Amino acid sequence: MIGSRVLSVGHYQPPRVVTNHELAEIVDTNDEWIQRRVGIRERRWAAPEETVDVMAAKAARDALQKSGTPITDIDTVIVATCSAFDRSPNMAARVALSLGMQNNPATIDVNTACSGFPHAIAIAQQAIAFGSTKTALVIGSEKLSDVTDYNDRTTCVLTADGAGAMVVTASEDQQISPVVWGSVPEMGDAVRIERSNDDKFAQNGQAVFRWTTTQLPKIAKEILARAGLEPQDVGVIVLHQANLRIIEPLARKIGAEQALVATDVTESGNTSAASIPLALSKLMESNPIPSGTPVLMFAFGGGLSYAGQVIQAP
């Protein structure tokens, strides 16, 4: 089968920065409580015109520019999101239109909430492996500020907006490991955005925290085993940016203390499906990560779904 590799990682964040102190003017909370519970100092909120597809297209342009990939080379666009209001046309089709694509690309949306991006990467990899795709734009984009209940002090401090993207292409060797994915259906209600709740984000934070602290290390080790790696081989860990108290202990729990760990949640908040590519893109801009470095990507979210794989840094 044909191999695949990541050519570049890009991102986009709205310019508006919202601090914990500003949130405290809206809801009964404070900076100390937020940082102690989840580690977030600030987040970004999008303007009305910065829709999910608009942010996705901006992140895609950044990734394309970084790789030097002509838009005519892209034959598949995949967008992971759970915050798009419109059902059709889907976000991937709107991104293709925004980018001026005229080569009839496949356009696919993926909704597994916060775990959407690793799912989307797996779909792109498998399409490449069987010859259905040569080069794909894989994007995570969320406007969670649209689905946030600002009367709920436990959730409104978490959510944020932004987008991240990767250019994935065919390769002689395999630089993206097989995905490890799954779900815990009996915990499907632990994270939700439902019409019965006025389309607002809600979660059982304690249940999610208990699950992540007990199950994430085991699944992360399975991802590494699927990639044929030992924990000490990992150079970078990019976990879904949900809670600093979940992110920071993972490297130690799996024996990868040497790894550089993305902690973008502190300044970007929880951007759901956008969080992994957004965090990795920002990390690569601020840290010299050698090409070929093994990067563990792992996300969990509504469903309760999870997915992860190891990529080689572009």
Side-chain angles (χ1 to χ4, degrees):
M1 279 187 273
I2 303 167
S4 54
R5 64 189 177 108
V6 175
L7 289 180
S8 62
V9 188
H11 72 278
Y12 172 76
Q13 286 187 287
R16 184 186 175 191
V17 176
V18 180
T19 66
N20 291 340
H21 298 292
E22 183 174 346
L23 265 184
E25 298 175 2
I26 301 172
V27 68
D28 180 19
T29 190
N30 60 72
D31 177 68
E32 187 276 334
W33 185 88
I34 297 170
Q35 292 207 47
R36 175 167 48 84
R37 292 290 295 268
V38 293
I40 297 172
R41 296 194 304 267
E42 61 186 38
R43 73 283 294 145
R44 304 291 184 99
W45 285 355
E49 66 275 10
E50 291 178 304
T51 56
V52 168
D53 57 298
V54 166
M55 291 189 291
K58 290 183 177 182
R61 289 188 182 96
D62 185 44
L64 288 166
Q65 188 274 327
K66 287 175 177 174
S67 67
T69 303
I71 192 63
T72 51
D73 284 1
I74 303 298
D75 53 21
T76 301
V77 180
I78 307 175
V79 174
T81 187
C82 65
S83 55
F85 282 135
D86 297 331
R87 292 184 174 88
S88 183
N90 65 7
M91 296 299 101
R94 288 184 172 176
V95 169
L97 177 63
S98 178
L99 296 178
M101 299 180 69
Q102 299 180 354
N103 57 332
N104 304 320
T107 53
I108 304 165
D109 278 10
V110 174
N111 180 4
T112 54
C114 303
S115 68
F117 191 78
H119 278 88
I121 287 290
I123 292 169
Q125 179 198 28
Q126 292 168 22
I128 289 170
F130 286 95
S132 301
T133 294
K134 291 184 178 179
T135 305
L137 261 176
V138 184
I139 309 163
S141 183
E142 301 282 15
K143 191 174 182 181
L144 294 183
S145 61
D146 276 351
V147 296
T148 296
D149 180 358
Y150 294 100
N151 294 311
D152 183 354
R153 68 190 296 267
T154 66
T155 58
C156 72
V157 301
L158 305 174
T159 53
D161 306 332
M166 290 184 181
V167 178
V168 182
T169 194
S171 173
E172 292 184 359
D173 57 337
Q174 185 58 268
Q175 297 185 23
I176 302 176
S177 76
V179 68
V180 172
W181 54 13
S183 67
V184 187
E186 61 268 27
M187 289 187 64
D189 286 342
V191 183
R192 58 198 185 277
I193 303 172
E194 295 177 322
R195 181 170 296 179
S196 61
N197 190 41
D198 196 29
D199 291 321
K200 299 302 182 185
F201 165 66
Q203 70 169 1
N204 183 334
Q206 290 186 346
V208 174
F209 187 81
R210 284 194 300 269
W211 184 87
T212 58
T213 53
T214 58
Q215 299 302 311
L216 288 193
K218 180 176 65 176
I219 300 171
K221 289 179 181 179
E222 184 181 351
I223 295 169
L224 295 180
R226 190 74 61 88
L229 298 174
E230 297 295 331
Q232 58 268 26
D233 298 326
V234 178
V236 180
I237 297 176
V238 188
L239 191 63
H240 165 49
Q241 302 292 294
N243 187 326
L244 197 61
R245 293 165 59 204
I246 297 171
I247 295 166
E248 288 189 322
L250 183 67
R252 173 182 52 80
K253 288 181 177 181
I254 67 173
E257 291 90 341
Q258 78 293 336
L260 177 64
V261 179
T263 57
D264 185 51
V265 66
T266 60
E267 61 181 42
S268 295
N270 182 340
T271 55
S272 188
S275 78
I276 283 182
L278 172 61
L280 180 57
S281 179
K282 293 176 66 178
L283 191 65
M284 292 179 66
E285 288 185 349
S286 60
N287 293 269
I289 299 173
S291 178
T293 298
V295 178
L296 169 62
M297 306 191 307
F298 184 19
F300 54 91
L304 190 149
S305 62
Y306 59 86
Q309 62 268 103
V310 176
I311 67 167
Q312 292 184 24

